[in-house]
Amino acid sequence: MTPRKTSQTMKPATAAKKLGVYLPATPAEFQEGVVSRDELNALQTDPPEWLRELRRNGPHPRPILALKLGISIGGLARGGITEALTTAEVEALKTENPEWLQQERATQAEVRREAARLKEEADKRG
């Protein structure tokens, strides 16, 4: 007799990370339970209203903030951004465009240029 296959589960923090949302902003039942792989897939393919709302308006976790601002996660820390921000707060920060954000965007652009240059060199060699 073959053993029954059990569904793989994950902690809410892992599921929130995979969904790109800030865990403390999720509903209590999401935070307190475990999430199966099937449940995660269902949330990704047909997100409930709370998930759509979080993705649209935040608050957003650091990786999403960095992406929305066009900087690195380290750049967020250097700029003093340690808490999750809403979409409105991100837009206000973009509009304000402080010196640190300009510098971090320039740094990120340079990092991308260098990565593209190295990839091009590797492609030529290989």
Side-chain angles (χ1 to χ4, degrees):
M1 186 191 270
T2 58
R4 227 176 107 222
K5 188 174 182 178
T6 58
S7 181
Q8 181 183 18
T9 60
M10 62 194 80
K11 294 178 183 176
T14 303
K17 186 174 183 178
K18 289 180 181 290
L19 293 169
V21 294
Y22 185 58
L23 180 63
T26 61
E29 56 271 10
F30 181 85
Q31 294 179 41
E32 295 163 1
V34 293
V35 181
S36 72
R37 176 67 60 192
D38 291 339
E39 290 169 331
L40 179 69
N41 290 340
L43 287 169
Q44 289 173 324
T45 56
D46 187 21
E49 183 54 36
W50 66 264
L51 181 54
R52 287 194 299 271
E53 180 67 20
L54 272 179
R55 286 178 169 168
R56 187 173 33 252
N57 297 317
H60 303 289
R62 288 179 306 161
I64 302 301
L65 290 177
L67 185 66
K68 286 180 175 288
L69 292 170
I71 62 175
S72 68
I73 293 173
L76 285 174
R78 286 187 293 275
I81 306 296
T82 57
E83 299 295 320
L85 300 177
T86 64
T87 300
E89 291 169 324
V90 169
E91 293 305 316
L93 194 55
K94 285 178 170 179
T95 301
E96 184 182 310
N97 201 19
E99 180 71 33
W100 70 265
L101 182 56
Q102 294 172 38
Q103 180 60 44
E104 291 300 333
R105 284 181 166 168
T107 300
Q108 191 68 14
E110 182 58 37
V111 167
R112 287 188 188 114
R113 276 192 297 277
E114 182 63 11
R117 185 188 68 77
L118 292 174
K119 182 182 181 321
E120 189 176 305
E121 281 184 14
D123 289 348
K124 286 180 183 176
R125 281 189 246 126

